[in-house]
Amino acid sequence: MRNGSDLKREAEKEIERMEGVFGSIEGEEGEVLRLARSYFEDSKYFFEKEDYLKSFEAAVISWAYVDALLHFGKVRIPKELLKYFTVER
């Protein structure tokens, strides 16, 4: 099991990564993208509250929604960010 500082670092890393994704995402603003953004905002909220486990979990859920949107061709991100997702480059 990770200690608190490891979990904090991992949550912070995911928030930074997704911050870059959401800063450059293009596509339709449908319900799934709104859910992804909402989970991302939750992740930042939990981080501020020092609940790093919930912060990390919310960031990962947000990532999963974006990954699905990429697979279905509903959103686009810069090629250099695709390495963070499971879609083919």
Side-chain angles (χ1 to χ4, degrees), residues 1 3-12 15 39-60:
M1 176 160 201
N3 67 36
S5 64
D6 286 345
L7 194 51
K8 180 181 179 182
R9 249 190 322 274
E10 291 299 319
E12 193 169 35
I15 289 171
Y39 273 103
F40 179 61
E41 291 304 316
D42 289 348
S43 179
K44 294 189 289 186
Y45 170 81
F46 289 128
F47 191 86
E48 289 176 14
K49 298 293 182 187
E50 298 182 6
D51 190 337
Y52 304 122
L53 178 59
K54 285 183 182 176
S55 175
F56 179 79
E57 290 171 340
V60 170

Side-chain angles (χ1 to χ4, degrees), residues 50-78:
E50 298 182 6
D51 190 337
Y52 304 122
L53 178 59
K54 285 183 182 176
S55 175
F56 179 79
E57 290 171 340
V60 170
I61 292 168
S62 176
W63 171 91
Y65 278 121
V66 172
D67 191 59
L69 288 167
L70 288 166
H71 276 277
F72 292 121
K74 299 292 185 181
V75 297
R76 294 169 306 286
I77 58 174

